[in-house]
Amino acid sequence: IDSDETGGPAFGWVDITGVGTDVGNHGDDVNTAGLAIGFPFSHYGTTFNTINVCSNGFASFSSTATTFTNAGIPGSGPTNLLAALWDDLDTSSGTIYAYQDVANDRFILEWFNVPQLGGSTGNTFEIILYNDGRIVYQYLTVAAPGNSATVGTQKDGTLGLEVAFNQPYLHDGLAVQLTQDANWLSENPASGNIPPGGSATVDVTAD
């Protein structure tokens, strides 16, 4: 769901340029691997503690690919992919920042003023991972043409969720939220262990 829809997430840009760490991958088709998320994050049933970030507008929990030709989802893209603005971008100018926002239980990657290869106008967007499993993409500025990127997530070439592929979808001030579970259903506790012969009470709430 996105901020253009009724009931969608509100756009609320989180600027980490003053507090985040420059991940250091300046150039064309580069990847920085092993960034600590700060909490275990589940993606399609597998738990990850680190993430790899690519200059070309995506991150992956398992792949260090630098694929610059974007594709549909699910498809030939990197495994365990988070495609916020997957396109042929160039971080020779612009910067990618990472920040563990411990106070708000989230991890943030921000592409700041990163243009397409050969372009002069930068894109500024971010991926936010929440400790409850939510994935949020936010777009502060989207450079023209804005219709040549892939947005979505995938486990591999057979399982994924495409938001947009080479469509005039992205725009300034957009927030896109991907959730793993039904947002109207919750349980408490959400996890735990029961010894043999034991029992426990789990409250399930449908709202």
Side-chain angles (χ1 to χ4, degrees):
I1 192 169
D2 66 35
S3 54
D4 290 341
E5 302 176 61
T6 301
F11 175 79
W13 183 251
V14 184
D15 181 17
I16 63 169
T17 57
V19 294
T21 300
D22 180 346
V23 303
N25 54 356
H26 295 278
D28 184 30
D29 303 333
V30 288
N31 192 297
T32 298
L35 299 176
I37 299 170
F39 49 84
F41 190 86
S42 177
H43 186 253
Y44 285 101
T46 301
T47 299
F48 299 94
N49 292 287
T50 62
I51 195 167
N52 312 318
V53 58
C54 179
S55 57
N56 289 321
F58 66 83
S60 169
F61 296 106
S62 58
S63 173
T64 56
T66 59
T67 311
F68 62 86
T69 302
N70 63 302
I73 291 178
S76 60
T79 56
N80 294 299
L81 171 70
L82 301 178
L85 199 160
W86 178 17
D87 204 349
D88 192 4
L89 306 182
D90 185 3
T91 50
S92 297
S93 62
T95 305
I96 302 176
Y97 295 94
Y99 180 57
Q100 292 182 6
D101 187 1
V102 177
N104 293 292
D105 290 326
R106 61 189 180 181
F107 173 80
I108 305 170
L109 289 170
E110 178 182 339
W111 283 253
F112 175 74
N113 200 29
V114 176
Q116 288 184 311
L117 183 65
S120 59
T121 305
N123 299 278
T124 298
F125 58 96
E126 61 191 2
I127 296 174
I128 306 176
L129 304 180
Y130 286 90
N131 200 9
D132 61 9
R134 285 177 294 150
I135 302 168
V136 175
Y137 303 152
Q138 294 203 116
Y139 304 87
L140 185 66
T141 56
V142 178
N147 61 352
S148 62
T150 299
V151 181
T153 186
Q154 72 175 16
K155 177 182 180 181
D156 51 34
T158 62
L159 181 61
L161 176 64
E162 182 179 281
V163 177
F165 171 59
N166 288 353
Q167 297 174 337
Y169 169 71
L170 297 177
H171 61 79
D172 297 359
L174 178 70
V176 179
Q177 178 174 282
L178 310 176
T179 53
Q180 302 180 38
D181 300 313
N183 58 13
W184 49 269
L185 192 66
S186 63
E187 64 281 346
N188 184 36
S191 64
N193 296 296
I194 303 173
S199 64
T201 297
V202 178
D203 296 323
V204 179
T205 302
D207 183 355

